[in-house]
Amino acid sequence: QLQLVESGGGLVHPGGSLRLSCTASGFTLDDFHIAWFRQTPGKEREGISCVSRRGVLANYADSVKGRFTVARDNTKNTVYLQMNGLKPEDTAVYYCAANSSPSPGICTTLGDKGRYGYWGQGTQVTVSS
């Protein structure tokens, strides 16, 4: 069974850091494009980052560029989202999602939820003083 599990969320003060993990079971994560989305109540799920298969390309939304970094650890079958300089507006449930397409261009576009067939359950990030 193919499964994604996010972890690492929590409560942090503004300016703080968190590292989210997206760990796969049942498949090799490096064979997939992995995107990070976030969602707050009443809003659309927002695509904020994507790392392509084999880590060739990483893309970021303007709202997180320069503060968030995505990285793969293939030894742990895990993709990380390092979040620095957190702001209250970063508060959301964060999801990772996987796309198995051989196309190298999947990560050039963020936010298309329909491209991703596998999703984790989400992890809550709260940024508050």
Side-chain angles (χ1 to χ4, degrees):
Q1 184 178 0
L2 306 183
Q3 191 175 14
L4 291 172
V5 177
E6 301 99 336
S7 61
L11 173 64
V12 64
H13 293 307
S17 298
L18 283 174
R19 189 178 74 165
L20 305 184
S21 300
C22 173
T23 301
S25 59
F27 63 102
T28 301
L29 212 51
D30 202 37
D31 293 336
F32 288 72
H33 310 282
I34 302 299
W36 286 94
F37 289 78
R38 65 186 182 186
Q39 190 170 22
T40 54
K43 292 190 176 181
E44 287 289 318
R45 196 167 291 189
E46 173 192 17
I48 58 169
S49 181
C50 186
V51 60
S52 65
R53 300 170 68 193
R54 316 289 187 259
V56 173
L57 169 69
N59 196 11
Y60 301 92
D62 287 343
S63 57
V64 305
K65 196 173 294 182
R67 300 187 297 124
F68 291 11
T69 304
V70 63
R72 293 183 178 271
D73 184 343
N74 293 332
T75 65
K76 297 181 179 179
N77 210 26
T78 296
V79 171
Y80 298 104
L81 184 69
Q82 177 67 43
M83 306 188 297
N84 299 328
L86 283 162
K87 305 175 182 180
E89 52 263 43
D90 294 318
T91 296
V93 177
Y94 284 70
Y95 301 88
C96 63
N99 175 306
S100 63
S101 170
S103 168
I106 293 296
C107 283
T108 57
T109 302
L110 297 173
D112 186 349
K113 300 182 295 295
R115 291 186 169 190
Y116 298 90
Y118 305 99
W119 290 83
Q121 82 290 351
T123 185
Q124 175 71 46
V125 171
T126 302
V127 185
S128 175
S129 55

